[in-house]
DNA sequence: GGAAAAACTTGCTCAGCGTGCAAAGTTGCA
DNA sequence: TGCAACTTTGCACGCTGAGCAAGTTTTTCC
């Protein structure tokens, strides 16, 4: 089928007309969803509204996403896929926490964070995260588990499932915590100073994890320095 | 009317007829939902089915729960509320990780774990957790954050939000990881040996967190002993 | 004890969701 | 050019979740 140009439908080129159309439609849908979110607020528009705005039928929308939430969560999904990609690029012998920190550093630039920040501020008022968004984080956790399992397998045959799952979950939780604190502090502020603070929060959260949260009752000694895990 | 038995509608006695009826209806709904889950499997029955089984109208169901998932998640909610209650009972000067571990120990008995274990095994095949279930965990995280914030406030005025949120999220993640590993290993096995393993997994996961996951590439040295945090 | 008030249940209705199906329209390949 | 594969779309259908108003039960107050 795909024998025309490349070999494996991997990363760079996918020039098939069909693939391009699908990608464009997908993008049109998320754009429409975001646009409606901006103008109407969360929960105040229907799938039909999105479909109309994107110039497709309601039925076609469901060929791409299973709900409005899912369309919006594409933003989060994109961000986290990016994070995992960075994470996989780290050397296999590096401590996992350090890899996680490095991967997160690579994402704290305006272009990458901006969509997530906007989505977050726009949906903030509706208390809890949507189903699809939580799924996206869960999916990311699974990916980290997979990577961690590979790395630990190198050392011992019987992989310690608890170690791997607890670590992955903790990393995600701490990353989420850093993002939450940043969002509540700075809103959608993407200035260099704000992004520097985000980076510091991410570093601090990984440091907390790496030190077993021993800093306990003396937060002053930690919140200003980048602590031990930093590169 | 209500003067016969109790005095204050606080904790123990709430003999009001209405409260009793509501509690009974609520219980009937979750029982019906669980029963249908057992007989039909997840996602194979409707709200109307539950309402019929519970002997109420569809409309009344929605007065109690917002979805089938929510009715089933009542089990998880009950378990986690119990956990938080235990957690709050711990002395305020105890390290949080130790409090968490102690609270978890108090829950690793057959009567408490059984409903959760059954729910988990019955819904296991449908991959991801339901929305309401995830909400229950999220709610528990918020509770831990609240407790942690109170405790840290005793030491410093400007509470470190990152510390509190990262810690609470990590604790929940590790607890979840321990439960997941236990479920996948032992299924719905509630034998003393299995519960002892659950307790050990919970202790180990908290120990991992307390040690900053430094055990890294030598799982053998940890999985057999109860490590440093144990009481 | 009895009537008014408050709380709860229920049936009706309705917009919206998510999916199966088959017809119509596109794209890929020879 | 024409066939095969894929995609879009309209239609239909059962289910969801919530508002509303009329009935029923419990509580309260005299």
């Amino acid at each position: 089928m795909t024998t025309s140009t490349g070999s494996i439908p991997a990363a760079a080129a996918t020039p098939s007309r069909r693939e391009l159309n699908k990608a464009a439609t997908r993008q049109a849908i998320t754009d429409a969803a975001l646009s409606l979110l901006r103008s109407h607020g969360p929960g105040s528009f229907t799938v039909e509204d999105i479909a109309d705005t994107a110039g497709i039928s309601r039925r076609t929308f469901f060929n791409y996403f299973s709900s409005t939430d899912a369309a919006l969560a594409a933003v989060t999904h994109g961000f986290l896929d990016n994070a995992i990609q960075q994470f996989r690029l780290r050397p296999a012998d590096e401590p996992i926490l350090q890899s996680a920190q490095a991967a997160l550093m690579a994402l704290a630039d305006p272009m990458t964070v901006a969509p997530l920040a906007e989505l977050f501020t726009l949906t903030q008022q509706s208390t809890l995260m949507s189903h699809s968004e939580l799924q996206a984080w869960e999916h990311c956790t699974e990916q980290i588990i997979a990577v961690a399992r590979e790395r630990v397998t190198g050392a011992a045959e019987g992989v310690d499932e608890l170690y791997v799952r607890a670590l992955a979950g903790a990393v995600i939780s701490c990353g989420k915590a850093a993002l939450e604190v940043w969002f509540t502090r700075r809103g959608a502020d993407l200035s260099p100073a704000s992004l520097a603070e985000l980076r510091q929060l991410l570093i601090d959260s990984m440091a907390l994890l790496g030190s077993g949260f021993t800093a306990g009752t003396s937060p002053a000694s930690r919140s200003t320095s980048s602590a031990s895990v930093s590169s």
Side-chain angles (χ1 to χ4, degrees), chain A:
Chain A
M1 314 277 182
T2 58
T3 51
S4 57
T5 53
S7 46
I8 310 147
T14 312
S16 151
R17 189 65 165 261
R18 282 208 170 114
E19 313 266 346
L20 286 174
N21 283 347
K22 290 198 78 169
T25 303
R26 200 178 181 81
Q27 190 61 48
I29 293 175
T30 60
D31 287 351
L34 262 175
S35 160
L36 286 166
L37 182 63
R38 274 190 280 263
S39 54
H40 292 70
S44 319
F45 54 96
T46 71
V47 168
E48 195 153 18
D49 294 334
I50 300 177
D52 288 350
T53 309
I56 55 167
S57 73
R58 196 181 81 97
R59 191 60 186 78
T60 300
F61 173 93
F62 285 111
N63 288 345
Y64 287 84
F65 298 101
S66 59
S67 66
T68 51
D69 283 344
L72 290 171
V75 172
T76 308
H77 228 104
F79 178 86
L80 293 178
D81 273 1
N82 209 330
I84 286 294
Q85 212 171 318
Q86 295 293 329
F87 186 62
R88 285 189 191 279
L89 289 176
R90 305 299 304 177
D93 58 341
E94 185 181 48
I96 293 175
L97 281 181
Q98 220 161 307
S99 297
Q101 193 189 314
L104 289 167
M105 285 306 96
L107 298 175
D109 72 290
M111 296 310 294
T112 314
V113 176
L116 195 63
E118 188 184 13
L119 180 67
F120 205 94
T121 51
L122 285 170
T123 54
Q124 187 74 316
Q125 57 226 64
S126 51
T127 324
L128 243 74
M129 265 187 182
S130 79
H131 185 46
S132 306
E133 201 137 8
L134 287 170
Q135 258 186 243
W137 287 97
E138 198 66 35
H139 176 253
C140 185
T141 306
E142 293 296 327
Q143 303 273 86
I144 296 180
I145 289 173
V147 174
R149 196 179 286 144
E150 282 171 27
R151 290 200 187 175
V152 180
T153 309
E157 196 214 305
V159 184
D160 189 341
E161 199 64 15
L162 178 66
Y163 179 82
V164 167
R165 300 193 87 91
L167 176 54
V171 166
I172 288 289
S173 287
C174 289
K176 258 203 253 190
L179 281 172
E180 280 170 13
V181 170
W182 181 64
F183 283 133
T184 47
R185 269 196 210 157
R186 318 284 301 220
D189 179 6
L190 296 174
S191 68
S194 176
L195 286 171
E197 188 172 345
L198 171 58
R199 259 177 249 116
Q200 191 58 51
L201 281 167
L202 289 167
I203 291 171
D204 284 351
S205 68
M206 291 300 128
L208 279 171
L209 195 49
S211 70
F213 293 91
T214 47
T217 48
S218 62
S221 63
R222 179 176 28 75
S223 59
T224 49
S225 70
S226 53
S228 56
V229 182
S230 103
S231 59

